[in-house]
């Protein structure tokens, strides 16, 4: 009965997606990110100048609107190259390939900033569910699930020793206005913050309350207690 209630209220959708994303993907690729960045930097010493940005920048749009081509999302974002591939045998698939793409982000002064960036792919599933009548996931439900996905993923990664210092979550909520370069500005804000953090640490000081997870746009990520994942077994109560 509790399982059916949980399924009807969709309380475990985002929680399950976040854990699956971490176990099945991030826990595999994130510990290898810095090595890939180091290899690329040795061959291209002038591209990745700031070591603090040698992370995988994960985009988390609360609208769940995910572009397959980042260059179409924002013309100031241009694909540069792929980092070194990781090849593993997983779940019966021989030589499964994991790789990340490096992008050049153009700022208002026409300067190029480089970073590895990609969307959190489970958000595509949330968006698809909201478009499928069988899933019965409303737009409001989708927003709440996206917020819960982000908060769950953030907590998982904070507790992961293997992934420490290898990622940057960029959560954002698009405004109703059509802003051509909203995404590139948001990414650049995070790159600037990381560069400032690197300089601050180099000087031997602690960063001054710099946000490591939120962009300059203030987001309301409040989720009611009833929306949090609930245990499926009665003996857990």
């Amino acid at each position: 009965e509790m399982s059916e209630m949980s399924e009807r209220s969709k309380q475990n959708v985002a929680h399950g997606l976040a854990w699956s994303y971490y176990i099945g993907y991030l826990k595999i690729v994130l510990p290898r990110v810095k090595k890939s960045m180091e290899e690329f930097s040795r061959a291209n010493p002038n591209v990745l100048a700031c070591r603090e940005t040698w992370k995988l920048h994960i985009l988390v749009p609360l609208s769940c609107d995910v572009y397959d081509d980042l260059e179409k999302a924002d013309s100031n974002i241009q694909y540069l190259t792929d980092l070194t591939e990781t090849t593993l045998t997983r779940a019966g698939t021989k030589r499964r390939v994991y790789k990340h793409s490096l992008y050049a982000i153009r700022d208002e002064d026409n300067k190029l900033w480089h970073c590895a960036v990609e969307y959190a792919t489970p958000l595509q599933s949330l968006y698809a569910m909201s478009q499928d009548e069988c899933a019965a996931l409303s737009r409001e439900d989708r927003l709440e699930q996206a917020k819960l996905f982000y908060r769950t993923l953030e907590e998982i990664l904070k507790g992961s020793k293997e992934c420490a210092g290898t990622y940057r979550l960029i959560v954002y909520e698009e405004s109703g206005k059509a802003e051509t370069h909203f995404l590139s500005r948001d990414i650049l804000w995070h790159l600037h913050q990381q560069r400032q953090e690197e300089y601050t640490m180099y000087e031997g000081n602690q960063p001054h309350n710099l946000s490591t997870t939120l962009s300059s746009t203030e987001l309301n990520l409040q989720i009611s207690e009833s929306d949090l994942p609930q245990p499926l077994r009665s003996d857990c109560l």
Side-chain angles (χ1 to χ4, degrees):
E1 182 179 353
M2 289 191 65
S3 178
E4 290 177 358
M5 289 174 61
S6 181
E7 289 176 9
R8 284 197 297 270
S9 61
K10 310 173 189 69
Q11 290 171 337
N12 293 317
V13 174
H15 188 256
L17 285 174
W19 271 104
S20 177
Y21 184 47
Y22 169 69
I23 295 294
Y25 180 64
L26 295 182
K27 192 176 181 181
I28 299 170
V29 302
L30 287 181
R32 297 171 169 83
V33 165
K34 286 192 181 294
K35 181 180 178 181
S36 295
M37 292 285 192
E38 288 173 0
E39 292 175 356
F40 180 85
S41 184
R42 282 197 295 269
N44 306 271
N46 297 323
V47 177
L48 296 173
C50 180
R51 294 183 67 91
E52 189 62 27
T53 62
W54 291 10
K55 302 172 183 176
L56 181 61
H57 296 75
I58 303 171
L59 302 177
V60 185
L62 296 181
S63 66
C64 299
D65 193 2
V66 173
Y67 285 81
D68 289 326
D69 190 340
L70 274 170
E71 295 172 311
K72 292 181 179 179
D74 190 322
S75 60
N76 278 349
I77 303 175
Q78 296 295 319
Y79 168 78
L80 186 63
T81 188
D82 290 330
L83 296 175
T84 306
E85 298 178 350
T86 295
T87 305
L88 300 172
T89 297
R90 293 277 295 175
T93 301
K94 296 288 187 180
R95 296 178 293 280
R96 177 170 289 181
V97 175
Y98 299 87
K99 66 179 181 180
H100 310 292
S101 295
L102 195 68
Y103 287 87
I105 317 295
R106 189 178 302 276
D107 66 15
E108 294 179 352
D109 298 323
N110 218 32
K111 178 183 176 180
L112 295 179
W113 299 67
H114 301 89
C115 68
V117 59
E118 61 189 48
Y119 284 101
T121 52
L123 296 177
Q124 286 184 311
S125 298
L126 280 178
Y127 188 86
M129 287 176 66
S130 69
Q131 303 299 307
D132 193 316
E133 293 182 1
C134 296
L137 189 74
S138 69
R139 185 174 180 178
E140 292 74 18
D141 290 334
R142 186 183 71 198
L143 177 59
E144 289 303 308
Q145 290 299 311
K147 291 178 181 179
L148 182 55
F149 170 83
Y150 165 72
R151 291 184 60 178
T152 304
L153 182 62
E154 183 182 39
E155 288 302 314
I156 293 171
L157 288 171
K158 279 183 178 178
S160 173
K161 294 181 180 179
E162 303 99 319
C163 299
T166 63
Y167 68 92
R168 180 92 172 189
L169 296 180
I170 303 179
V171 59
Y172 60 92
E173 189 168 14
E174 297 180 45
S175 64
K177 302 177 183 178
E179 298 184 53
T180 307
H181 301 302
F182 169 83
L183 184 55
S184 60
R185 285 200 302 269
D186 219 35
I187 296 172
L188 285 168
W189 186 89
H190 281 267
L191 294 178
H192 282 295
Q193 291 299 308
Q194 290 173 90
R195 174 163 288 196
Q196 185 175 344
E197 290 167 13
E198 182 177 57
Y199 289 160
T200 304
M201 293 179 69
Y202 178 78
E203 293 170 358
N205 299 321
Q206 293 298 321
H208 299 292
N209 298 323
L210 297 176
S211 170
T212 59
T213 55
L214 296 179
S215 70
S216 54
T217 303
E218 292 186 3
L219 303 177
N220 178 13
L221 296 177
Q222 295 294 327
I223 301 176
S224 63
E225 185 177 350
S226 61
D227 289 329
L228 296 176
Q230 303 294 322
L232 299 181
R233 293 171 49 191
S234 58
D235 58 357
C236 292
L237 298 175

